[in-house]
Each structure stands twice: as C-alpha cells, then as structure tokens.
Amino acid sequence: MAKKKHRKPKRSRDAASLTPGQWWERAAAVVLCCVTFPLLWVGGLVTTTKSGMAVPDWPGTYGYNLLLYPWTTWLAGPWDLFIEHGHRLLATLAGLLTIGLLVLVLRFDDRRWMRVVAAAALVGVVLQGVLGGLRVLLDERLLAMVHGSVGPLFFALTAAIVVWTSATWRLARPAAVAICLQRAVPLGLVTTLLVFVQLVLGATIRQMPVTASPQTFAVAVKAHLFMAVIVAAACWFLAMRLLARGVPKPVRVFGVAAAVMVFLQISLGVFTWLSKYGVPRFAVAYIGTGDAATLADGWWQNHIVTAHQATGSALLAVILVGTLLAWRFAPTMTATDSATARNLPPTGVATA
Amino acid sequence: MRTDANAGYVVLSMLVLIASGCTQAPPEFEPSLLVVTEADMVDEHREQIQSALVDWFGTPDEPKAPKSPTTFQLDQELLAMAAGPAGYVDRGDGEYLQRGLYRQHCASCHGITGNGMGPAAAMLAPYPRDFRPGVFKFKSTYRAAKPTDDDVRRVIKHGVPGTAMPSFSLLDDKQIDALVEYIKYLAIRGQVERELVAHLADEFDFDPLANTTDQPFDPDNDKEDRELVDYLVAKVSRPWGYGNVQVVQPDPEFVPSENRSAAEVVKSVAAGRELFVSTRAKCTDCHGLPGSAVIAKDYDDWDEAVVNFLRKTDALVASIERREQQIAGLNEAQRERGQQQLAHDKRRLQKRKQVAWRLLEPRPDPPRNLSNGVFHGGDELIDLFRRVHQGVAGTPMPAHGSPRSNVPGSLSEGEIWQLVDYLRSQRQARSL
C-alpha cells in the first residue's frame, strides 16, 4: 500500500525570513511597482490617443481639485478625458504609495543606502508629476518626451526596490560555481543603458512635434530600428549568461524573462508599424495588404502601440533587476576565476 | 536642513528654466518653397504674399474663412474645431469646445500646412497627399473638377486601403465634417498662394539680380492689390461650390442590371478582358498583361513637380560650370556682366539646393497591381466605373470616358462597364 505523501504547508521565503516591519516594507514596494506599471500603460495610452491636452489645466481638472472631479463626468465623458484624468489619479496613487514606502523604510529598514533610495523614489515621482503638469500647462512636446522617458526609469527603480526589500536579496550568498555572473554584470549595465537609449528614441518618435521635418522623423525611426538590433543582441547575450550552468534560480528567472520579453518587444514593434501605417510597400509582395484600411485609434491599434511602449519599460526593469541579482550572487573575482571566465590561462600558468 | 532647502530651490528653478526654454512658438503655415523658388521671386514679395495670406486666411491656430463674393463659403465654426492645438477650449459658459482635430489626426502625415510633409511623410509610400494644388485623386466628379464634400468625407471615414491612410470611422460626423472643411480651407489657401506667386512673378516689376522691387505688393493699403487677392480667392473658391453638379452620373441605359444571368456576366468579363489588352484602352501599357508585373514609369503630378525642379537645378549647375569656363575668353564688359549673372545664379543655386534638400525624394507612381485586388479609391461598381471613366486626377491614369457632359470619350459607357466587370473578376479570382 502506497504511503500517502504529506507535504509541509509552504511558507513564503519572505514571510519566513523578514520581520513584520520588513514584510510591510516589501509589501508596499510590491504594491507600488504593481501600480506603476498600469500607470505607465495608461500614460502610454495618453500619448497613443493624443489625449495629453484633454484636460487643459493642472494640478486641477477643469477647475476642480483632482480628487474631487465628479466621477460620473469622468466615466461618462469623452474617452480622452477619461484616459488623461485616469492617468492623473493613478499617478496620485503612485505618489501616495511612494510616501508610504518611504515612511516604512525609514521606520523598519536599517540600511542607510535603502533610505536614500526610498527618498530618491519620492523625489523622482514628484519631479515626474511636475514634468507631466508642465507638459500640459505649456503644451510642450519636448517636455512630454522627457516625461515619457523618466517614467520607465521610475518603474525600473520601483522594480529594483522590490528586489532590494526581498528576502532573496537580504539572504543571498555568492554562488561559487556561477563565475559567469561576474561578467554578466558589466554586460547587464551596458544592456540597461542601451535599453534606456532605445526607450528615449521611441519616446522621441512618439512625441515628434508635427512641425518636425520628415527627414528628422526618418532618422529617428532608422536609429530606433538600428538600436533594436543592438538591444536584441545585447539582451540575448545577457540572457545566455544569466541562464548558464550553476546560476541560482532567482537570476535564471530574469534570464528567461529577458529572452522572452525582447522577442515580444520586437514583435510588438512590427505590429505597431503595421497597425499604424499598414504594410510597407516592400513587404506587400510577401504578405499582401488587407482589403480595408487600418482603423485609426481603434482598440487594437491603441493597445498594440501602447503595449510596445509598456513592454519597453518592463524590459528595462527586467534587465536592471537581472543585473542587480547577478551582481548580488556573483562570486568574488580572483585572478584564476577572471582568466577562466575569459577562457584564458591564469597568470603564471604555462600554456602547452 | 538649510542645504536641503537650497537644493530643492535649485531643482525647482532648473525645472522652470528648462520648461520656459522649451516653449515653442505656435506653428505657422510654411510658404510653398518649390513654387516660390521656381518663380525666382524677390524676398520682399515673398514676405508680402505670406503677410497677405495671414490677413485673408489667418494662422494654423486662428484660421479665418476668407470672405468670398461667391456663394461658396467655408464654415468658421467647423474650421475652429479642426484648427489649433488638440484639446478643448472654454467657451465661457461652462461648456468646452473641441479643437485641434487636424493636428491630432492628420498633421503628423499631411503637415501643418497640408503640404504632405508631416514628420512621418518620408517613411510612407505613397507619400501623404499635398492638399495645396487642390487636386484630389479619389472622387466622384469629372477629372478637372473639385471633389464633393462626400468624396473627402468618404476618404477620411474609410481610409485608402493598401496605403498608410487609415480609416477615421471612429470619429463622429461633426468631427469628420470639421476635417473636411479644414482640408478644403488648406487646399484653397494653397491654391491662392500659387496664384499670387504666379501673378506677382508675371505682372510685378522686380530685379532678381539685386533682389529688389520698386513695386511692393501691399493689399493693406493698395486697393488694386486688395482687389487682386479678393479676385483670386473668389476664383479659387468658386469651383468648390460646383462639386455636386460635376458628379459623373452613368447613363442608366448602360448600367448593368443586378439581375444579369451568369452567362451575361461571363460574356461581359470576356469583352472587358479583350478591351483591357487592346490598343484602344492601352491598360496593359502600365498595368501589364494579366498576371504580369506592373510597370512603374511615370510620376504623379506632385512628384513630377519635384523631378522637374531637380532637373532644372542640375541644369543650372551645368550652366554655371560651363559659363565659369567660358568667362575668361570674354571682353571686359561682357565679363563684368557675366560675373554679375553668375553671382546671381550661384545665389539661386544655393537657394534651390536648400529647397531640394527639404523635398521628399520623388518616386515613380506605380500603377495599381490589379491582381492583388486592392482598389485604393473604393471597390464598388460605381467607384471603378468613375475611376476608368475619369482616370485618377493628378496621376498618369487617364480618363477613358467623356471629359464633360455630351462629349464622347475614347471608350463608350458600355465598354467601361465591361472593363469594370473584368476588374471585379480579377478581385474575385484572388479571393477564391
């Protein structure tokens, strides 16, 4: 007779290892990160649907205090008003959560650098809000572009805070066999920078003023395509390092995520062009064209374009967190390790 | 604590400085560079034309419906709805009016001026339409006539399949009406500008060598100049009021019956195919034989103007090089005059090169690939009938029907319907 297997009820690593105060700190970080992503998505929708000026005043909404604007008008009003006011409400929530996180970190986290990070997050979210407000008051596309580029940075910071407040981070010990992680760190930093540059290029295209010349736009698009190839290659190599033998599971997860997301992002880029401008002439011979024109501002168009922007931000966060974890788990580099990692004989060893 | 406060002030001041430094002037209508440069116009006249256009037509933020002595009049309220930055303006009674529809939906491809030079233009094929010559491809009217409001509305609502022009069917009727009105406004403004440039280049005294004129164009103070602008506005606006009476109406006698038998349709398709490959219709000259590749050899009117401009610029380069070699052999008086002319031509060349750099590279206009079954201007029987009957204005696709009422065309209406049946059969063959 087969014995019944008794499984111990699982407790999360965090719950087991964190003090109640640290648990609340981490919970706040997770909630902030989870609120920031939809905030980025709705912010992307504001750009996609060109709703940025649907509410012409700031910080109020049509003369009302932001929080007191009649919800029935918000929900039943025009679509662009719904998106823009919703973006402001979500941003307010993100701001309040950041304040809460700072309070919890100051109260329960004894790491000095973590307190600085939480304070920096608050400064960041306030500056981002002011940038968004000035973009509306001045109706200025350049500010919109800066606003659109700072958003992903803030999201990446919230994702990093989630990791920094986790038990995985606090209890991590270098994995002696994962020497490749030592070289993953500089590659990860470079990839993070490349992804951010690519996001800025994307924001430039999205926020190109209507007075810009066609030549300027064409250069921006070609640079974005060129960078896509570079970023894809960098992400792929980074993913390979994060998935190497001996790498701890928390790091491997981000290796898989980087590979999947870069593929998803390139696919979304292709569909973004198709949904906005249709099939390019050079591709018509291969894939043909539909019998109907593309639908401007349709549900699919709006969400594919926005998803391309939001996935870019998510990719930035994944690469940054993967790099941070690689650094955390990387063993201390010795001369022998360094040579092994580069496939070179260590100093003083004669070659055959 | 004090240091923190100071840091806060520094950051806030920097933000305000950045924000104030970023503020751009409101967009302006661009002069028609190609037309003005071709006319070799002096700067003073060019500026005076732009100033007159602002007086009559306003600016992209504050457009004015020009007062026309004809019955045709643009709707100021619709223009205001389409113009300006995207958003809403307070009407003063608690109500907000929508504005900026053109900038929100159209300007990124068609440009603020409607010159087809919006930021995305260079990446699209075909290029977005330049409204300023007042020529529209897909319409129900005779080739030389303006489109009806319904024609423009239909293109906006349904888009142009097979191109980057999307369907704006999610906009409501009033929003589309506002865009239709604004497109007409841009077309009329563009045509008036062309007429003014042509008139001043032909009729006014100016010295292109010295870039001076003793005959300023001053409609503010000169009654004749003011009347000239009024006359040109009326001349350009009037045909826009004729759209509905210029619609091509097929003769009911030849319109194919909906109850035709299959055998009748097959017979008509066969006759249409025969016409298609015949030397009378000359369809295969561009569209190729059925199943073969299309032959792109000609430019549409918009690109042809650019091609001609570039050719003339190249000719000017060659002329300057040739005269520079010859000038040493001239006597002193001829040499002085030649050098003056050369200096002027070099300035012209400089201007032409600056303009050429800003133009979109001309591309041959590929005839429709009939085997892929996508018809840009609509695929209803009546759409195809009008396309064959009047061709496509501004492109090498010629008219095969009568150019105006009671004048015979190269094909009879019965033959055009046979061709339409053949074209439709190609589409059906693809979808099978």
Side-chain angles (χ1 to χ4, degrees), chain A residues 46-265:
Chain A
V46 169
T47 305
T48 308
T49 57
K50 302 184 184 76
S51 309
M53 294 307 294
V55 182
D57 51 345
W58 181 84
T61 295
Y62 285 103
Y64 286 90
N65 177 302
L66 172 72
L67 301 174
L68 301 179
Y69 187 71
W71 65 272
T72 45
T73 317
W74 172 46
L75 295 179
W79 173 245
D80 49 1
L81 167 71
F82 174 75
I83 296 289
E84 170 62 16
H85 186 63
H87 181 54
R88 292 177 183 202
L89 290 175
L90 261 177
T92 307
L93 179 60
L96 292 173
L97 284 168
T98 312
I99 293 172
L101 175 72
L102 176 62
V103 170
L104 289 168
V105 168
L106 291 176
R107 176 78 180 78
F108 298 114
D109 204 316
D110 51 3
R111 295 172 295 180
R112 188 177 163 75
W113 62 269
M114 191 61 215
R115 295 171 173 215
V116 174
V117 166
L122 182 58
V123 172
V125 80
V126 170
L127 287 182
Q128 175 70 340
V130 172
L131 270 174
L134 290 175
R135 177 263 179 272
V136 168
L137 293 180
L138 301 172
D139 189 11
E140 178 48 57
R141 305 284 284 200
L142 185 59
L143 282 177
M145 195 205 71
V146 177
H147 184 60
S149 304
V150 173
L153 281 183
F154 180 73
F155 175 63
L157 179 63
T158 62
I161 292 174
V162 170
V163 173
W164 287 328
T165 52
S166 67
T168 304
W169 181 272
R170 287 170 186 270
L171 304 177
R173 294 288 173 269
V177 290
I179 294 170
C180 61
L181 285 183
Q182 291 165 335
R183 293 191 66 201
V185 175
L187 177 61
L189 291 174
V190 170
T191 308
T192 307
L193 184 66
L194 288 172
V195 172
F196 182 65
V197 170
Q198 179 70 332
L199 284 174
V200 172
L201 276 171
T204 309
I205 293 168
R206 298 252 290 160
Q207 301 289 354
M208 188 72 69
V210 287
T211 48
S213 73
Q215 289 81 3
T216 309
F217 184 83
V219 166
V221 170
K222 285 171 187 170
H224 193 58
L225 291 174
F226 176 74
M227 276 298 291
V229 176
I230 304 285
V231 166
C235 286
W236 183 256
F237 283 121
L238 180 67
M240 290 302 100
R241 288 197 190 282
L242 299 186
L243 289 169
R245 202 168 42 190
V247 171
K249 192 178 168 191
V251 187
R252 295 174 70 86
V253 167
F254 285 91
V256 173
V260 170
M261 288 187 68
V262 79
F263 175 75
L264 176 67
Q265 179 66 343

